[in-house]
Amino acid sequence: MIKNTLSIAGVDPSGGAGVLADVKTMSALGTYATAVIAALTAQNTQAVTGIQTVPPDFIALQIDTLFDDVRIDGVKIGMLGEARVSQIVSDKIAQYQPPFVVLDPVMVAKSGDLLLEKEAVASLLEGLVQQAHMITPNLPEAGVILRQRAPETVKEMYATAERLHKLMSDKDERWVLLKGGHLSTDETVDLLFNGDRMLEIPGRKIHTRNTHGTGCSLSSAVCALQARLQDVPEATRQACHYIFQAISRADELSVGQGHGPIHHFHAQW
C-alpha cells in the first residue's frame, strides 16, 4: 500500500524550499504527498521579499477537510510564520494524532531572512515540540530554541541534543535529529537521539552554493521514509543519504542566480 504523507508549511515560489520541496521529496521517495499551505512568501534563490500569512481559521479548514477524507501516514511541519498559526496547527495535530510527526523548526532562510516571528518561538516550544515524534533543528536553530550559543563542536552537539530531548514529550519514543552541517570542518556529523541511544550519522560537506531547501527536504525525506519503513534510525540514515546525493547533483540544475535548489529527482532524471 502506498503511504500518504502531508507537509504543513509555507510556499517558496522558486520551488527550492517549503511545500514544493517537500512534495518533490516525498514523491521521489515513494509516497503520495499532500500539503496544507500555512504561509505565503515572495521568494527566489537570492532573497525573501515578502511574507503573507494565511488566516489560521483557513489553515484549520484545510487540515480538517484533508483528514476527513485522506488517511495520513506521516506529517512534516515546516514554516508556520507566526504564533497563532503554530497554535492552530498544534491543536489539529492533537486532535488527529497522526502516527509520526516531524517538526522542522524553520526560522531563517538561506538568504538570512527571518521566517519565524520571535513571539512564535515560545508557541513552537509549548505546543508543537511537545507533540512531535522528531525535531530536526540545525545548530543555529538549536541555539535559538535553547537560548544559548549554537554548538560548535561534536562534543557540544551531544549536550545540545540531550537538552533538546528534554523539551519533548515523554510519551512514546521521541527523537532529536541535530544537524551538523554548520560545523566548520568538511567532515560533519548529524546526531540522532531518542533519550537513550545517541547515533552518529557521518557526512561530508559538498562545496556548492546550491543548497537551498536542504533542511526542508531532509525533514520531509525522514517523514516519507518513516511512513514506509517504520524504523526511525534506518529512515533517517536513508534520508541523509538521499540529501547527500541531491546536493551532489544540484549543479546539474540551473535555477536562479543565488542559492539554487538541490536536485530532488536525481534518481529519476
Side-chain angles (χ1 to χ4, degrees), residues 197-216:
R197 291 183 292 163
M198 186 80 75
L199 306 176
E200 292 191 6
I201 303 175
R204 176 170 54 86
K205 284 185 181 175
I206 300 166
H207 293 283
T208 173
R209 66 186 303 176
N210 297 323
T211 56
H212 182 49
T214 303
C216 300

Side-chain angles (χ1 to χ4, degrees), residues 173-186:
E173 192 170 46
R174 308 290 165 149
W175 297 84
V176 173
L177 175 59
L178 182 58
K179 301 175 293 190
H182 286 81
L183 292 173
S184 58
T185 59
D186 278 351

Side-chain angles (χ1 to χ4, degrees), residues 187-206:
E187 299 299 320
T188 65
V189 65
D190 297 332
L191 295 182
L192 182 64
F193 181 57
N194 70 344
D196 179 34
R197 291 183 292 163
M198 186 80 75
L199 306 176
E200 292 191 6
I201 303 175
R204 176 170 54 86
K205 284 185 181 175
I206 300 166

Side-chain angles (χ1 to χ4, degrees), residues 38-49:
L40 307 174
T41 72
Q43 182 177 175
N44 57 27
T45 65
Q46 299 182 77
V48 179
T49 59

